């Protein structure tokens, strides 16, 4: 039985670990990406992970930024390497 266990153990250890961006890192990436659209923007509310897309494990993140007296919700899709991609922008209070 042990001669069968060793090859299985080698196979399991040689598989690449699935990289996943943690929620905290995904929110930070989404907020940083949202701030990059404006010259001066501040986060007025903590971001949130709205959902995780299966099976890609990409996370949809909402970031809430303010520039001047205008507030925006910026939605991004963050991949497993914590790279954010723009989805849409909405302005609050209109």
């Amino acid at each position: 039985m042990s001669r069968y266990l060793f090859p299985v153990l080698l196979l399991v250890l040689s598989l690449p670990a699935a990289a996943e961006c943690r929620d905290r890192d995904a929110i930070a990436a989404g907020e940083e990406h949202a701030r990059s659209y404006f010259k001066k923007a501040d986060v007025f509310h903590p971001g949130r992970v709205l959902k995780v897309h299966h099976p890609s494990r990409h996370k949809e993140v909402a970031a809430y930024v303010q520039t001047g007296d205008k507030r925006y919700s910026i939605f991004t899709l963050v991949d497993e390497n914590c790279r954010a991609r723009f989805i849409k922008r909405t302005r609050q209070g209109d």
Side-chain angles (χ1 to χ4, degrees), residues 21-70:
C21 186
R22 297 181 312 164
D23 286 354
R24 187 178 309 157
D25 297 333
I27 292 169
E31 288 177 348
E32 184 64 31
H33 193 75
R35 275 192 234 116
S36 72
Y37 287 105
F38 305 99
K39 289 182 180 180
K40 183 175 185 272
D42 299 315
V43 174
F44 70 89
H45 191 290
R48 295 184 1 179
V49 174
L50 300 176
K51 63 180 160 181
V52 179
H53 296 264
H54 296 286
S56 67
R57 307 295 297 166
H58 291 184
K59 297 179 180 186
E60 189 172 321
V61 175
Y64 307 99
V65 296
Q66 179 175 354
T67 178
D69 60 344
K70 296 179 181 169

